[in-house]
Amino acid sequence: SYSVTFITNGGTTIEPFYGLVIQETPFTSKNGFTFKGWYLDKQFQNPVSFPYYPKQDCIFYAKWAERSDITYIVKHYKQETDLKSYKLYESEELSGTYGASTQAKSKNYSGFHNNEFEQKTIAANGTTEIEIYYDLDQITVIFDANDGSGNTDSQTFFFGVSQKLKANHFTRENYFFDGWIEIQHNASVQYSDGTYMS
């Protein structure tokens, strides 16, 4: 009988063997890696096949390969119309190699733009999460005097959020102010002074 010592190289521990024959492949596992077999040398040149009959005391070395199917989650959060909070809109599951960088990408949502985010290193246990936040687009409304005089400053809106149009400060001799007209796609929309607009 001979003894066999197992060097698992980060895998789960295996108790040393002492006897005549090892019938089946000793089992070890390692998060993020696939077990590629036992070898008699550190350089992994001499593989071991089973059943194995030791002819002397020896050491087995475990060989591993990084898994390329480790899953991670990318979550997409949209800004709410209160302009303070965010709500989870969509999540997706991607996969990559343990220890490598995630490959998360932002989405194109109408009326939103994404904030900057950082990729992460893919964890072995599949718990990696990337959170991407999207803010509402800002839209500038410019007021045209339409042959009037004076100044009415432009106004900033957020996509899909209603607010009151600012009061008119233009004047035009022999005319009274009758509201605002927005020209869009060959159609016009009329707004009264100070009315809500989205």
Side-chain angles (χ1 to χ4, degrees):
S1 296
Y2 296 99
S3 67
V4 178
T5 302
F6 300 92
I7 305 298
T8 62
N9 290 320
T12 51
T13 303
I14 297 178
E15 294 297 320
F17 168 85
Y18 183 79
L20 297 173
V21 57
I22 303 176
Q23 293 288 354
E24 297 179 350
T25 304
F27 175 77
T28 181
S29 63
K30 184 179 178 181
N31 277 341
F33 291 83
T34 300
F35 178 63
K36 304 300 285 186
W38 294 103
Y39 287 77
L40 292 170
D41 61 303
K42 294 179 180 179
Q43 293 74 33
F44 307 117
Q45 300 297 314
N46 300 297
V48 178
S49 57
F50 297 91
Y52 181 79
Y53 298 85
K55 295 185 170 76
Q56 60 184 7
D57 293 343
C58 58
I59 299 174
F60 285 1
Y61 298 88
K63 183 178 180 180
W64 302 96
E66 293 172 335
R67 286 176 52 191
S68 60
D69 60 346
I70 306 295
T71 58
Y72 59 93
I73 303 296
V74 181
K75 295 181 176 180
H76 303 270
Y77 291 86
K78 282 185 175 183
Q79 187 178 32
E80 297 279 79
T81 54
D82 62 6
L83 305 180
K84 297 177 182 178
S85 59
Y86 292 83
K87 183 177 181 180
L88 178 62
Y89 180 77
E90 181 180 2
S91 63
E92 55 185 335
E93 185 178 279
L94 303 177
S95 63
T97 301
Y98 163 67
S101 231
T102 55
Q103 299 294 316
K105 294 181 180 179
S106 60
K107 302 274 190 177
N108 291 321
Y109 296 125
S110 178
F112 291 83
H113 60 277
N114 68 281
N115 295 323
E116 290 186 4
F117 64 95
E118 293 183 359
Q119 304 289 351
K120 294 182 179 179
T121 300
I122 299 174
N125 57 6
T127 59
T128 306
E129 288 189 355
I130 305 290
E131 295 180 338
I132 305 178
Y133 290 87
Y134 300 80
D135 285 345
L136 290 162
D137 287 341
Q138 290 189 24
I139 301 166
T140 301
V141 174
I142 299 172
F143 300 93
D144 189 319
N146 195 19
D147 295 330
S149 60
N151 183 52
T152 299
D153 293 334
S154 60
Q155 185 175 356
T156 299
F157 283 76
F158 291 89
F159 180 82
V161 180
S162 296
Q163 62 174 295
K164 282 186 176 182
L165 285 169
K166 61 172 52 181
N168 170 52
H169 294 288
F170 295 127
T171 59
R172 184 176 175 185
E173 191 175 354
N174 299 320
Y175 287 80
F176 65 90
F177 178 68
D178 195 32
W180 305 104
I181 294 288
E182 177 188 4
I183 305 299
Q184 234 183 25
H185 306 297
N186 299 319
S188 61
V189 181
Q190 184 163 356
Y191 301 95
S192 300
D193 204 13
T195 191
Y196 277 94
M197 175 183 174
S198 176

